[in-house]
CSV table of all heavy atoms in Angstrom, one decimal:
chain,number,residue,atom,x,y,z
A,897,LEU,N,-9.3,14.9,-8.7
A,897,LEU,CA,-8.0,15.5,-8.5
A,897,LEU,C,-7.7,15.8,-7.0
A,897,LEU,O,-8.6,16.2,-6.3
A,897,LEU,CB,-7.9,16.9,-9.3
A,897,LEU,CG,-6.5,17.5,-9.2
A,897,LEU,CD1,-5.4,16.7,-9.9
A,897,LEU,CD2,-6.6,18.9,-9.9
A,898,ASP,N,-6.5,15.4,-6.5
A,898,ASP,CA,-6.2,15.5,-5.1
A,898,ASP,C,-4.9,16.4,-4.8
A,898,ASP,O,-4.8,17.0,-3.8
A,898,ASP,CB,-5.9,14.2,-4.5
A,898,ASP,CG,-7.1,13.2,-4.7
A,898,ASP,OD1,-8.1,13.3,-3.9
A,898,ASP,OD2,-7.1,12.4,-5.6
A,899,ILE,N,-4.0,16.4,-5.8
A,899,ILE,CA,-2.7,17.0,-5.5
A,899,ILE,C,-2.3,17.8,-6.7
A,899,ILE,O,-2.5,17.5,-7.9
A,899,ILE,CB,-1.6,15.8,-5.4
A,899,ILE,CG1,-2.0,15.0,-4.2
A,899,ILE,CG2,-0.2,16.4,-5.2
A,899,ILE,CD1,-1.2,13.6,-4.2
A,900,VAL,N,-1.7,19.0,-6.4
A,900,VAL,CA,-1.2,19.9,-7.4
A,900,VAL,C,0.2,20.2,-7.1
A,900,VAL,O,0.6,20.5,-6.1
A,900,VAL,CB,-2.0,21.2,-7.4
A,900,VAL,CG1,-1.5,22.1,-8.4
A,900,VAL,CG2,-3.5,20.9,-7.6
A,901,VAL,N,1.1,20.0,-8.2
A,901,VAL,CA,2.5,20.4,-8.1
A,901,VAL,C,2.7,21.5,-9.3
A,901,VAL,O,2.9,21.0,-10.4
A,901,VAL,CB,3.4,19.3,-8.2
A,901,VAL,CG1,4.9,19.8,-8.0
A,901,VAL,CG2,3.1,18.3,-7.1
A,902,ALA,N,2.7,22.7,-8.9
A,902,ALA,CA,2.9,23.7,-9.9
A,902,ALA,C,4.4,24.0,-10.1
A,902,ALA,O,5.0,24.8,-9.3
A,902,ALA,CB,2.2,25.1,-9.6
A,903,ASN,N,5.0,23.3,-11.0
A,903,ASN,CA,6.5,23.2,-11.0
A,903,ASN,C,7.2,23.9,-12.1
A,903,ASN,O,8.3,24.3,-12.0
A,903,ASN,CB,6.8,21.7,-11.0
A,903,ASN,CG,8.2,21.5,-11.4
A,903,ASN,OD1,9.2,21.6,-10.6
A,903,ASN,ND2,8.5,21.1,-12.8
A,904,ALA,N,6.4,24.1,-13.3
A,904,ALA,CA,7.1,24.7,-14.5
A,904,ALA,C,7.7,26.0,-14.2
A,904,ALA,O,7.1,26.9,-13.5
A,904,ALA,CB,6.0,24.8,-15.6
A,905,GLY,N,9.0,26.1,-14.6
A,905,GLY,CA,9.7,27.3,-14.4
A,905,GLY,C,10.9,27.6,-15.4
A,905,GLY,O,11.4,26.5,-15.9
A,906,ILE,N,11.2,28.8,-15.7
A,906,ILE,CA,12.4,29.1,-16.5
A,906,ILE,C,13.2,30.2,-15.9
A,906,ILE,O,12.7,30.9,-14.9
A,906,ILE,CB,11.9,29.6,-17.9
A,906,ILE,CG1,11.0,30.8,-17.8
A,906,ILE,CG2,11.1,28.4,-18.6
A,906,ILE,CD1,10.7,31.6,-19.1
A,907,THR,N,14.3,30.6,-16.6
A,907,THR,CA,14.9,31.8,-16.2
A,907,THR,C,15.8,32.3,-17.3
A,907,THR,O,16.0,31.6,-18.3
A,907,THR,CB,15.9,31.6,-14.9
A,907,THR,OG1,16.3,32.9,-14.4
A,907,THR,CG2,17.1,30.8,-15.2
A,908,SER,N,16.3,33.5,-17.2
A,908,SER,CA,17.4,34.0,-18.1
A,908,SER,C,18.2,34.9,-17.2
A,908,SER,O,17.9,35.0,-16.0
A,908,SER,CB,16.8,34.7,-19.3
A,908,SER,OG,15.9,35.8,-18.8
A,909,TYR,N,19.3,35.4,-17.7
A,909,TYR,CA,20.3,36.1,-16.8
A,909,TYR,C,20.7,37.4,-17.3
A,909,TYR,O,21.5,37.5,-18.4
A,909,TYR,CB,21.5,35.1,-16.7
A,909,TYR,CG,21.2,33.7,-16.3
A,909,TYR,CD1,21.1,32.8,-17.4
A,909,TYR,CD2,20.9,33.3,-15.0
A,909,TYR,CE1,20.7,31.5,-17.1
A,909,TYR,CE2,20.5,32.0,-14.7
A,909,TYR,CZ,20.4,31.0,-15.7
A,909,TYR,OH,20.1,29.8,-15.5
A,910,TYR,N,20.3,38.5,-16.7
A,910,TYR,CA,20.6,39.8,-17.1
A,910,TYR,C,20.8,40.7,-16.0
A,910,TYR,O,20.1,40.7,-15.0
A,910,TYR,CB,19.4,40.4,-18.0
A,910,TYR,CG,19.4,39.7,-19.3
A,910,TYR,CD1,18.5,38.6,-19.5
A,910,TYR,CD2,20.1,40.1,-20.4
A,910,TYR,CE1,18.4,38.0,-20.8
A,910,TYR,CE2,20.1,39.5,-21.6
A,910,TYR,CZ,19.2,38.4,-21.8
A,910,TYR,OH,19.2,37.7,-23.0
A,911,ARG,N,21.7,41.7,-16.0
A,911,ARG,CA,21.9,42.7,-15.0
A,911,ARG,C,20.7,43.7,-15.1
A,911,ARG,O,20.0,43.8,-16.2
A,911,ARG,CB,23.2,43.5,-15.3
A,911,ARG,CG,24.4,42.6,-15.2
A,911,ARG,CD,25.7,43.4,-15.2
A,911,ARG,NE,25.9,44.3,-14.1
A,911,ARG,CZ,26.4,43.9,-12.9
A,911,ARG,NH1,26.7,42.6,-12.8
A,911,ARG,NH2,26.4,44.6,-11.8
A,912,SER,N,20.5,44.4,-14.1
A,912,SER,CA,19.3,45.3,-14.0
A,912,SER,C,19.2,46.2,-15.2
A,912,SER,O,18.1,46.4,-15.7
A,912,SER,CB,19.3,46.1,-12.7
A,912,SER,OG,19.3,45.2,-11.6
A,913,GLU,N,20.3,46.8,-15.6
A,913,GLU,CA,20.3,47.7,-16.7
A,913,GLU,C,20.2,47.1,-18.0
A,913,GLU,O,20.0,47.9,-19.0
A,913,GLU,CB,21.6,48.6,-16.6
A,913,GLU,CG,22.9,48.0,-16.9
A,913,GLU,CD,23.5,47.3,-15.7
A,913,GLU,OE1,22.8,47.1,-14.6
A,913,GLU,OE2,24.7,47.1,-15.8
A,914,GLU,N,20.3,45.8,-18.1
A,914,GLU,CA,20.2,45.1,-19.4
A,914,GLU,C,18.9,44.3,-19.6
A,914,GLU,O,18.5,44.0,-20.7
A,914,GLU,CB,21.4,44.1,-19.5
A,914,GLU,CG,22.8,44.7,-19.4
A,914,GLU,CD,23.8,43.7,-19.2
A,914,GLU,OE1,23.5,42.5,-18.8
A,914,GLU,OE2,25.0,44.0,-19.5
A,915,LEU,N,18.2,44.1,-18.5
A,915,LEU,CA,17.0,43.3,-18.6
A,915,LEU,C,15.9,44.1,-19.4
A,915,LEU,O,15.6,45.2,-19.1
A,915,LEU,CB,16.4,43.1,-17.2
A,915,LEU,CG,15.2,42.2,-17.0
A,915,LEU,CD1,15.4,40.8,-17.5
A,915,LEU,CD2,14.8,42.1,-15.6
A,916,THR,N,15.3,43.4,-20.4
A,916,THR,CA,14.4,44.0,-21.3
A,916,THR,C,12.9,43.7,-20.8
A,916,THR,O,12.7,42.6,-20.1
A,916,THR,CB,14.5,43.5,-22.7
A,916,THR,OG1,14.2,42.1,-22.8
A,916,THR,CG2,16.0,43.6,-23.2
A,917,PRO,N,12.0,44.5,-21.2
A,917,PRO,CA,10.6,44.2,-20.8
A,917,PRO,C,10.2,42.8,-21.3
A,917,PRO,O,9.4,42.1,-20.6
A,917,PRO,CB,9.8,45.3,-21.6
A,917,PRO,CG,10.7,46.4,-21.6
A,917,PRO,CD,12.1,45.8,-21.8
A,918,HIS,N,10.7,42.3,-22.5
A,918,HIS,CA,10.3,41.1,-23.0
A,918,HIS,C,10.8,39.9,-22.1
A,918,HIS,O,10.1,39.0,-21.8
A,918,HIS,CB,10.8,40.9,-24.4
A,918,HIS,CG,10.4,39.6,-25.1
A,918,HIS,ND1,9.2,39.1,-25.1
A,918,HIS,CD2,11.2,38.7,-25.8
A,918,HIS,CE1,9.2,37.9,-25.7
A,918,HIS,NE2,10.4,37.7,-26.2
A,919,HIS,N,12.1,40.0,-21.7
A,919,HIS,CA,12.7,39.0,-20.9
A,919,HIS,C,12.0,39.0,-19.5
A,919,HIS,O,11.7,37.9,-19.0
A,919,HIS,CB,14.1,39.2,-20.7
A,919,HIS,CG,14.9,38.9,-21.9
A,919,HIS,ND1,15.0,39.7,-23.0
A,919,HIS,CD2,15.6,37.8,-22.2
A,919,HIS,CE1,15.8,39.1,-24.0
A,919,HIS,NE2,16.2,37.9,-23.5
A,920,TRP,N,11.7,40.2,-19.0
A,920,TRP,CA,11.0,40.3,-17.7
A,920,TRP,C,9.7,39.6,-17.8
A,920,TRP,O,9.3,38.8,-17.0
A,920,TRP,CB,10.8,41.8,-17.3
A,920,TRP,CG,9.9,42.1,-16.2
A,920,TRP,CD1,8.5,42.1,-16.3
A,920,TRP,CD2,10.2,42.1,-14.8
A,920,TRP,NE1,8.0,42.3,-15.0
A,920,TRP,CE2,8.9,42.2,-14.1
A,920,TRP,CE3,11.4,42.0,-14.0
A,920,TRP,CZ2,8.8,42.4,-12.7
A,920,TRP,CZ3,11.3,42.1,-12.7
A,920,TRP,CH2,10.0,42.3,-12.0
A,921,GLN,N,8.9,40.0,-18.8
A,921,GLN,CA,7.5,39.5,-18.9
A,921,GLN,C,7.5,38.0,-19.1
A,921,GLN,O,6.5,37.3,-18.5
A,921,GLN,CB,6.8,40.2,-20.0
A,921,GLN,CG,5.3,40.1,-20.0
A,921,GLN,CD,4.7,40.6,-18.6
A,921,GLN,OE1,4.8,41.8,-18.4
A,921,GLN,NE2,4.0,39.8,-17.9
A,922,THR,N,8.4,37.4,-19.9
A,922,THR,CA,8.3,36.0,-20.1
A,922,THR,C,8.5,35.2,-18.9
A,922,THR,O,7.8,34.2,-18.6
A,922,THR,CB,9.4,35.6,-21.2
A,922,THR,OG1,9.2,36.4,-22.4
A,922,THR,CG2,9.2,34.1,-21.6
A,923,VAL,N,9.5,35.6,-18.0
A,923,VAL,CA,9.7,34.9,-16.8
A,923,VAL,C,8.5,35.1,-15.9
A,923,VAL,O,8.1,34.1,-15.2
A,923,VAL,CB,11.0,35.4,-16.1
A,923,VAL,CG1,11.1,34.9,-14.7
A,923,VAL,CG2,12.2,34.9,-16.9
A,924,ILE,N,8.0,36.3,-15.7
A,924,ILE,CA,6.8,36.5,-15.0
A,924,ILE,C,5.6,35.6,-15.4
A,924,ILE,O,4.9,35.0,-14.6
A,924,ILE,CB,6.4,38.0,-14.9
A,924,ILE,CG1,7.5,38.8,-14.3
A,924,ILE,CG2,5.0,38.1,-14.1
A,924,ILE,CD1,7.8,38.5,-12.8
A,925,ASP,N,5.4,35.6,-16.7
A,925,ASP,CA,4.3,34.8,-17.3
A,925,ASP,C,4.4,33.3,-17.0
A,925,ASP,O,3.4,32.7,-16.7
A,925,ASP,CB,4.3,35.0,-18.8
A,925,ASP,CG,3.8,36.3,-19.2
A,925,ASP,OD1,3.2,37.1,-18.3
A,925,ASP,OD2,3.9,36.7,-20.4
A,926,VAL,N,5.6,32.7,-17.0
A,926,VAL,CA,5.8,31.4,-16.8
A,926,VAL,C,5.8,31.1,-15.3
A,926,VAL,O,5.0,30.1,-14.8
A,926,VAL,CB,7.1,30.8,-17.4
A,926,VAL,CG1,7.3,29.3,-17.0
A,926,VAL,CG2,7.0,30.9,-19.0
A,927,ASN,N,6.7,31.8,-14.5
A,927,ASN,CA,7.0,31.5,-13.1
A,927,ASN,C,5.9,31.9,-12.1
A,927,ASN,O,5.9,31.4,-11.0
A,927,ASN,CB,8.3,32.0,-12.8
A,927,ASN,CG,9.5,31.3,-13.6
A,927,ASN,OD1,9.3,30.6,-14.5
A,927,ASN,ND2,10.7,31.6,-13.1
A,928,LEU,N,5.2,32.9,-12.4
A,928,LEU,CA,4.2,33.4,-11.5
A,928,LEU,C,2.8,33.2,-12.1
A,928,LEU,O,1.9,32.5,-11.5
A,928,LEU,CB,4.4,34.9,-11.2
A,928,LEU,CG,3.4,35.5,-10.2
A,928,LEU,CD1,3.3,34.7,-8.9
A,928,LEU,CD2,3.8,36.9,-9.9
A,929,THR,N,2.5,33.7,-13.2
A,929,THR,CA,1.1,33.6,-13.9
A,929,THR,C,0.9,32.2,-14.1
A,929,THR,O,-0.2,31.6,-14.0
A,929,THR,CB,1.0,34.5,-15.1
A,929,THR,OG1,1.2,35.8,-14.7
A,929,THR,CG2,-0.4,34.3,-15.7
A,930,GLY,N,2.0,31.4,-14.7
A,930,GLY,CA,1.8,30.0,-14.9
A,930,GLY,C,1.5,29.2,-13.7
A,930,GLY,O,0.6,28.3,-13.7
A,931,VAL,N,2.0,29.6,-12.6
A,931,VAL,CA,1.7,28.9,-11.3
A,931,VAL,C,0.2,29.1,-10.9
A,931,VAL,O,-0.5,28.2,-10.5
A,931,VAL,CB,2.7,29.3,-10.2
A,931,VAL,CG1,2.2,28.9,-8.8
A,931,VAL,CG2,4.1,28.8,-10.5
A,932,TRP,N,-0.2,30.4,-11.1
A,932,TRP,CA,-1.6,30.8,-10.8
A,932,TRP,C,-2.5,30.0,-11.7
A,932,TRP,O,-3.6,29.5,-11.3
A,932,TRP,CB,-1.8,32.2,-10.9
A,932,TRP,CG,-3.2,32.6,-10.6
A,932,TRP,CD1,-3.8,32.8,-9.4
A,932,TRP,CD2,-4.3,32.8,-11.6
A,932,TRP,NE1,-5.1,33.1,-9.5
A,932,TRP,CE2,-5.5,33.1,-10.8
A,932,TRP,CE3,-4.4,32.7,-12.9
A,932,TRP,CZ2,-6.7,33.3,-11.5
A,932,TRP,CZ3,-5.5,33.0,-13.6
A,932,TRP,CH2,-6.7,33.3,-12.9
A,933,ASN,N,-2.2,29.9,-13.0
A,933,ASN,CA,-3.0,29.2,-14.0
A,933,ASN,C,-3.3,27.8,-13.5
A,933,ASN,O,-4.4,27.3,-13.5
A,933,ASN,CB,-2.4,29.2,-15.4
A,933,ASN,CG,-2.4,30.5,-16.1
A,933,ASN,OD1,-3.2,31.4,-15.6
A,933,ASN,ND2,-1.6,30.7,-17.1
A,934,VAL,N,-2.2,27.0,-13.1
A,934,VAL,CA,-2.4,25.7,-12.7
A,934,VAL,C,-3.2,25.6,-11.3
A,934,VAL,O,-4.1,24.8,-11.3
A,934,VAL,CB,-1.0,25.1,-12.4
A,934,VAL,CG1,-1.2,23.6,-11.9
A,934,VAL,CG2,-0.2,25.0,-13.7
A,935,ALA,N,-2.9,26.5,-10.4
A,935,ALA,CA,-3.7,26.5,-9.2
A,935,ALA,C,-5.1,26.9,-9.4
A,935,ALA,O,-6.0,26.2,-8.8
A,935,ALA,CB,-3.0,27.5,-8.2
A,936,ARG,N,-5.4,27.8,-10.2
A,936,ARG,CA,-6.7,28.3,-10.4
A,936,ARG,C,-7.6,27.2,-11.2
A,936,ARG,O,-8.8,27.0,-10.8
A,936,ARG,CB,-6.8,29.6,-11.2
A,936,ARG,CG,-8.2,30.0,-11.7
A,936,ARG,CD,-9.1,30.3,-10.5
A,936,ARG,NE,-10.4,30.8,-10.9
A,936,ARG,CZ,-11.3,29.9,-11.2
A,936,ARG,NH1,-11.1,28.6,-11.1
A,936,ARG,NH2,-12.5,30.4,-11.5
A,937,ALA,N,-6.9,26.5,-12.1
A,937,ALA,CA,-7.6,25.4,-12.8
A,937,ALA,C,-8.0,24.3,-11.9
A,937,ALA,O,-9.0,23.6,-12.1
A,937,ALA,CB,-6.8,24.9,-14.0
A,938,ALA,N,-7.1,24.1,-10.9
A,938,ALA,CA,-7.3,22.9,-10.0
A,938,ALA,C,-8.2,23.1,-8.8
A,938,ALA,O,-8.8,22.2,-8.3
A,938,ALA,CB,-5.9,22.5,-9.5
A,939,VAL,N,-8.3,24.4,-8.4
A,939,VAL,CA,-9.1,24.7,-7.2
A,939,VAL,C,-10.5,24.1,-7.2
A,939,VAL,O,-10.9,23.4,-6.2
A,939,VAL,CB,-9.1,26.2,-6.9
A,939,VAL,CG1,-10.2,26.5,-5.9
A,939,VAL,CG2,-7.8,26.6,-6.3
A,940,PRO,N,-11.3,24.3,-8.2
A,940,PRO,CA,-12.7,23.7,-8.2
A,940,PRO,C,-12.7,22.2,-8.0
A,940,PRO,O,-13.6,21.6,-7.3
A,940,PRO,CB,-13.2,24.1,-9.6
A,940,PRO,CG,-12.4,25.3,-10.0
A,940,PRO,CD,-11.1,25.0,-9.5
A,941,HIS,N,-11.7,21.5,-8.6
A,941,HIS,CA,-11.7,20.0,-8.4
A,941,HIS,C,-11.3,19.6,-7.0
A,941,HIS,O,-11.8,18.7,-6.4
A,941,HIS,CB,-10.7,19.5,-9.4
A,941,HIS,CG,-11.0,19.6,-10.8
A,941,HIS,ND1,-11.9,18.9,-11.4
A,941,HIS,CD2,-10.6,20.6,-11.7
A,941,HIS,CE1,-12.1,19.3,-12.7
A,941,HIS,NE2,-11.2,20.3,-12.9
A,942,LEU,N,-10.4,20.4,-6.3
A,942,LEU,CA,-10.0,20.1,-5.0
A,942,LEU,C,-11.1,20.4,-4.0
A,942,LEU,O,-11.4,19.6,-3.1
A,942,LEU,CB,-8.8,20.9,-4.6
A,942,LEU,CG,-7.5,20.7,-5.4
A,942,LEU,CD1,-6.3,21.5,-4.9
A,942,LEU,CD2,-7.1,19.2,-5.4
A,943,ILE,N,-11.9,21.5,-4.3
A,943,ILE,CA,-13.0,21.8,-3.5
A,943,ILE,C,-14.1,20.7,-3.6
A,943,ILE,O,-14.7,20.2,-2.5
A,943,ILE,CB,-13.6,23.1,-3.8
A,943,ILE,CG1,-12.6,24.3,-3.4
A,943,ILE,CG2,-14.9,23.4,-3.1
A,943,ILE,CD1,-13.0,25.6,-3.8
A,944,ASP,N,-14.3,20.2,-4.8
A,944,ASP,CA,-15.3,19.1,-5.0
A,944,ASP,C,-14.8,17.8,-4.3
A,944,ASP,O,-15.7,17.1,-3.8
A,944,ASP,CB,-15.4,18.9,-6.5
A,944,ASP,CG,-16.2,19.9,-7.2
A,944,ASP,OD1,-16.9,20.8,-6.6
A,944,ASP,OD2,-16.1,19.9,-8.5
Side-chain angles (χ1 to χ4, degrees):
L897 184 65
D898 305 277
I899 300 164
V900 178
V901 183
N903 164 80
I906 61 167
T907 197
S908 55
Y909 311 96
Y910 291 93
R911 299 187 67 83
S912 299
E913 68 273 20
E914 298 169 343
L915 183 62
T916 69
H918 181 47
H919 286 82
W920 168 274
Q921 194 63 56
T922 305
V923 167
I924 298 297
D925 287 346
V926 174
N927 293 11
L928 180 54
T929 304
V931 169
W932 181 83
N933 286 343
V934 177
R936 175 61 182 83
V939 162
H941 297 282
L942 300 182
I943 291 175
D944 287 345

